[in-house]
Amino acid sequence: MIGVDVGGTFTDVVAIEDGKIKTVKVSTDVRTTERGVLKGAGEIGVETAEVFNHASTHGLNAVITRRLPKIAFLTTDGHRDILDIGRTWRPVEGLMNPAWRRSYGDANRPLVPRYLRRGIRERLTADGGVLIPLDEEQARAQLAVLRRCGVEGVAICLLNAYVNDHHEERLRQLVHEELGDVPVSISSEVSPLAKEFARASTTVVDVFMRLIYDDYTKRLDAGLRDLKFTGDLNFADCAAQLVRSDVAMEHPFRIVFAGPAAGTVSSAHFGSLIGAKNLLCADVGGTSCDISIVSDGKPFVNTTFELEHDLIVNALSNEISSIGAGGGSLVTINAAGELKVGPGSAGADPGPACYGIGGTQPATTDTCLLMGIIDPEGFAGGRMKLDPELSRQAFEALDTKLSFEQRVSYAFNIGINNIAEGVTNIAIQHGVDPRDYSLVAYGAAGPMLLPAVLDLVHAAEVIVPPHPGLFSALGLVSTDLVYADSRSAYTLLTAEAAESIDKVYRSMEQRLSERLKEKDRGNVTFVRSFDGRLAGQTWETPFIAVPDGEITAEGVEQMVANFHEAYAERSGNKFEALPVQGVTYRVQAVVHAEKVEYPVLPERTEGERPEPTRTLTIRYLTDEDLPAHEYQRADLRAGDTIPGPAVIREPLSTTFLVPGQAAHVGAHGELRIRKA
């Protein structure tokens, strides 16, 4: 098994062969992403692999940076500004700011400019009836405008199309007749769910992902075949569940946020092995810190997620909060003369100043290099040599009256506090006490920064898993193949509704069965659920369990009972006298796959102690220089205890223990860091 996580700075590759974990880390080629993937695949040896599981932030980064192809948006006449209006929600920081504008609105950086959003004369009623027939002549006139504009793809979202798809289907035919063979996504296929804006934004993102990933997938697949790979190419979705690449390309919006989600799944899987079921997960890479939560061994999954504030995608996803705090986070001076760290990043090109490839601004990597935490000769597994003098010059060039020592010290502490704030916010949002949770540190920079965060967030401990620099990629070999489908239909859950509900589930399960390969059909489990609400409510309670087999009157009664139990668990109240309305019906076809196994680390002979390789000097952490022992993680054994301050090195990451901490080595080689 091979897993590949394509990040904005590095591409991580892991292989599981004969129970052994092999790892490779290469720089991401941001212009031709598959080159880095194929380079890593070639180095690790892809020719004997049965599966190649892939996750990427390439599409996500394209949306965030607006490096997007030109597409058009077609909707019901009079509603073309739906993509500008959004849900009209504001973040807390914008509630009292009259100048606040949403990031994707017309006043800022719209995904689809207004002149490419066209209204089509038609209208369906809420129950799917035709109020105004589709005006094909007017539609062709609008498409003629788009043809002159040279659009590369078209997103179609008509009102109430999730109930009746006839107008969208015919409009797609007209697009192909007028514009040729351009990618077209229609909301009734992409996201046949209620709530117009979420359905519209999801369809727009689907077109973008189709244009970004379609040719990429073909090049990647061809390149893997050239490397003698004969297995299955799978893509991870936003919940880090796997799906065959050809099926993923049918609705590629589901893979837009795959990379960060894989780390959450990897944390949950590893936590189950070591008996840690409540986890705050922090993936600190080169560009960002992605924070998520695992409670009672399960990642927190949402029915939607936001790419940016209020920019909704209707996809099951692990809830992840991203902040601009990573190894590449830039250290700058703002207009008020204050030192800031992030959210801007040096990325892989030009990178931090110490890379010596063009970067002139200091980054967090430069900070840790000057402090003595990072080994300039052994960075990225020895693939890169860093230049501390370039880091010094970058800090000295900052326009501030702070002394050099203060600049470095403040840069480290501000970066640490940025991460601590992000972790604390996640805990508050979920109403959990960090003292009951372990903080999992992964990503290349996570073990270097997270132990210093421990006292700020008051978590129980910091866990550094094996291979933290490629831990998200390990999540791709710790999950199952999952094919999912969903349908919206507002239905009061009564005995009379049993037949129609059963028909919905049967049709979805039949459709999913047709997607399965013959070899997978004997190893599949169908998981049903629905999103429901009390009649008259606006928002739904998701993922209510649904009985297997034929849905009868008794089955509907069980669905209602399951809803009331779930509602009471979430809200603390139960209203069994009120009728329940089903809104969205979901099915997952889960094909169980082999999971990565972590070997047990041998214990040290009684009486022996781990020996440091040398003594380092840690600067700028306190007013005085601190001596710190350096250890090689490969030399540690189960049961070892390392007191801080200390640095523990491994090929693709560095763990830094601050004074007053100690790291205990667990059975699978994990470092469990607590107060000494």
Side-chain angles (χ1 to χ4, degrees):
M1 298 186 293
I2 291 181
V4 175
D5 178 25
V6 185
T9 306
F10 289 104
T11 294
D12 301 333
V13 186
V14 299
I16 312 299
E17 187 173 7
D18 298 329
K20 296 181 179 179
I21 300 173
K22 296 167 59 180
T23 63
V24 168
K25 197 179 194 78
V26 298
S27 293
T28 296
D29 188 328
V30 294
R31 295 174 183 83
T32 315
T33 314
E34 73 275 5
R35 287 186 179 178
V37 177
L38 294 172
K39 180 181 179 182
E43 288 189 25
I44 211 162
V46 74
E47 61 277 358
T48 60
E50 295 182 3
V51 294
F52 190 93
N53 300 333
H54 174 284
S56 174
T57 58
H58 184 47
L60 172 65
N61 292 337
V63 174
I64 292 173
T65 61
R66 297 297 190 271
R67 293 172 183 164
L68 295 167
K70 180 190 282 190
I71 74 165
F73 175 69
L74 301 179
T75 189
T76 304
D77 198 21
H79 292 265
R80 69 171 176 167
D81 288 325
I82 188 172
L83 291 183
D84 182 43
I85 297 169
R87 296 181 300 179
T88 71
W89 292 9
R90 285 175 171 241
V92 173
E93 61 270 18
L95 289 177
M96 304 300 291
N97 180 5
W100 181 86
R101 297 291 184 274
R102 62 183 53 81
S103 62
Y104 58 84
D106 290 344
N108 276 333
R109 302 184 300 161
L111 297 178
V112 184
R114 194 170 193 269
Y115 78 98
L116 295 177
R117 307 196 303 258
R118 317 301 294 186
I120 303 300
R121 195 172 298 128
E122 66 82 42
R123 186 61 185 263
L124 299 173
T125 59
D127 61 0
V130 178
L131 182 65
I132 301 174
L134 177 64
D135 188 334
E136 295 192 10
E137 184 177 348
Q138 185 260 356
R140 290 184 188 275
Q142 296 292 347
L143 293 171
V145 174
L146 298 178
R147 183 171 58 249
R148 293 194 296 271
C149 293
V151 298
E152 301 172 58
V154 179
I156 300 174
C157 180
L158 304 179
L159 296 190
N160 297 317
Y162 69 95
V163 184
N164 181 347
D165 64 359
H166 292 164
H167 283 184
E168 285 195 345
E169 289 278 8
R170 177 55 184 156
L171 190 52
R172 174 165 57 183
Q173 294 172 7
L174 295 178
V175 170
H176 287 312
E177 290 175 13
E178 296 294 328
L179 302 184
D181 190 24
V182 299
V184 181
S185 294
I186 62 174
S187 70
S188 53
E189 285 185 354
V190 169
S191 181
L193 307 176
K195 297 185 172 62
E196 306 301 335
F197 170 68
R199 186 158 51 89
S201 61
T202 302
T203 308
V204 166
V205 169
D206 190 71
V207 177
F208 284 133
M209 296 305 106
R210 195 180 300 275
L211 287 163
I212 290 169
Y213 280 112
D214 193 42
D215 286 342
Y216 167 82
T217 303
K218 293 174 183 175
R219 295 193 301 268
L220 176 60
D221 187 72
L224 290 173
R225 305 306 167 188
D226 290 342
L227 293 172
K228 311 302 182 189
F229 174 66
T230 59
D232 294 332
L233 172 60
N234 302 318
F235 281 2
D237 66 11
C238 298
Q241 296 168 334
L242 300 171
V243 65
R244 285 200 329 267
S245 59
D246 58 328
V247 177
M249 286 303 99
E250 293 177 8
H251 299 307
F253 75 91
R254 291 174 176 162
I255 68 173
V256 64
F257 205 57
T264 311
V265 170
S266 192
S267 297
H269 175 62
F270 187 73
S272 68
L273 296 179
I274 64 173
K277 292 189 174 183
N278 293 330
L279 307 171
L280 290 165
C281 313
D283 179 359
V284 189
T287 304
S288 65
C289 174
D290 301 318
I291 306 165
S292 55
I293 190 167
V294 173
S295 292
D296 196 25
K298 297 179 181 178
F300 189 89
V301 178
N302 264 335
T303 58
T304 64
F305 69 95
E306 294 182 337
L307 288 178
E308 298 171 3
H309 173 75
D310 211 22
L311 178 54
I312 301 297
V313 176
N314 279 336
L316 298 184
S317 62
N318 295 337
E319 185 176 284
I320 295 171
S321 176
S322 295
I323 59 174
S329 293
L330 293 172
V331 181
T332 57
I333 306 296
N334 67 12
E338 299 168 326
L339 190 144
K340 294 186 64 178
V341 180
S345 174
D349 186 7
C354 58
Y355 281 18
I357 56 175
T360 58
Q361 292 180 277
T364 298
T365 299
D366 296 293
T367 304
C368 293
L369 179 63
L370 290 171
M371 291 177 67
I373 300 170
I374 292 177
D375 180 5
E377 301 296 323
F379 189 73
R383 289 171 176 263
M384 297 177 63
K385 290 188 176 181
L386 306 183
D387 189 339
E389 185 56 34
L390 292 176
S391 298
R392 175 174 290 276
Q393 293 173 13
F395 268 100
E396 288 175 342
L398 292 174
D399 184 14
T400 176
K401 294 182 179 180
L402 296 172
S403 68
F404 178 82
E405 292 77 10
Q406 288 175 321
R407 298 177 194 194
V408 179
S409 176
Y410 291 0
F412 181 78
N413 284 295
I414 291 171
I416 292 300
N417 276 273
N418 288 344
I419 297 173
E421 182 179 3
V423 173
T424 302
N425 286 343
I426 282 287
I428 291 173
Q429 288 171 17
H430 289 270
V432 303
D433 188 339
R435 291 173 296 184
D436 298 329
Y437 281 70
S438 299
L439 188 57
V440 186
Y442 56 101
M448 181 172 66
L449 302 175
L450 265 296
V453 173
L454 183 59
D455 287 343
L456 298 177
V457 301
H458 306 293
E461 61 181 346
V462 172
I463 298 175
V464 181
H467 310 288
L470 301 103
F471 197 58
S472 288
L474 281 168
L476 299 174
V477 288
S478 307
T479 188
D480 295 316
L481 273 167
V482 179
Y483 301 87
D485 202 356
S486 56
R487 292 285 184 273
S488 277
Y490 291 97
T491 311
L492 281 177
L493 299 185
T494 63
E496 292 75 21
E499 184 178 351
S500 63
I501 294 172
D502 183 68
K503 184 178 179 180
V504 169
Y505 279 112
R506 296 287 183 186
S507 64
M508 288 194 290
E509 289 174 356
Q510 176 63 32
R511 184 180 176 189
L512 293 176
S513 295
E514 292 170 355
R515 293 183 174 185
L516 298 175
K517 286 189 171 183
E518 190 67 37
K519 66 176 183 177
D520 295 330
R521 291 181 178 170
N523 188 33
V524 64
T525 301
F526 288 99
V527 180
R528 297 173 173 178
S529 66
F530 78 100
D531 302 349
R533 64 189 186 184
L534 296 173
Q537 283 188 322
T538 299
W539 304 109
E540 298 85 43
T541 301
F543 306 125
I544 311 299
V546 175
D548 294 328
E550 181 183 359
I551 302 295
T552 61
E554 290 76 16
V556 173
E557 186 178 335
Q558 184 62 52
M559 291 170 64
V560 172
N562 292 346
F563 170 84
H564 287 305
E565 290 299 323
Y567 188 90
E569 185 177 339
R570 283 180 173 243
S571 67
N573 295 293
K574 186 183 288 190
F575 302 96
E576 293 180 297
L578 297 179
V580 176
Q581 186 179 44
V583 177
T584 300
Y585 306 91
R586 306 180 186 277
V587 172
Q588 290 184 324
V590 181
V591 179
H592 302 284
E594 292 184 26
K595 309 292 192 302
V596 60
E597 295 182 2
Y598 293 88
V600 175
L601 200 65
E603 295 184 1
R604 192 174 298 280
T605 303
E606 188 175 352
E608 292 186 356
R609 293 183 178 182
E611 293 295 330
T613 53
R614 57 176 170 167
T615 299
L616 306 171
T617 299
I618 302 299
R619 297 175 289 273
Y620 316 126
L621 185 66
T622 63
D623 292 338
E624 302 292 333
D625 290 349
L626 297 174
H629 289 315
E630 177 191 75
Y631 298 85
Q632 298 299 320
R633 191 169 185 180
D635 296 337
L636 302 181
R637 296 292 179 265
D640 285 349
T641 297
I642 307 297
V647 173
I648 302 172
R649 304 213 187 276
E650 55 189 298
L652 300 177
S653 189
T654 295
T655 300
F656 174 50
L657 308 180
V658 299
Q661 294 180 341
H664 305 274
V665 183
H668 294 280
E670 72 276 9
L671 305 177
R672 306 188 78 154
I673 302 168
R674 304 184 180 97
K675 288 185 178 180

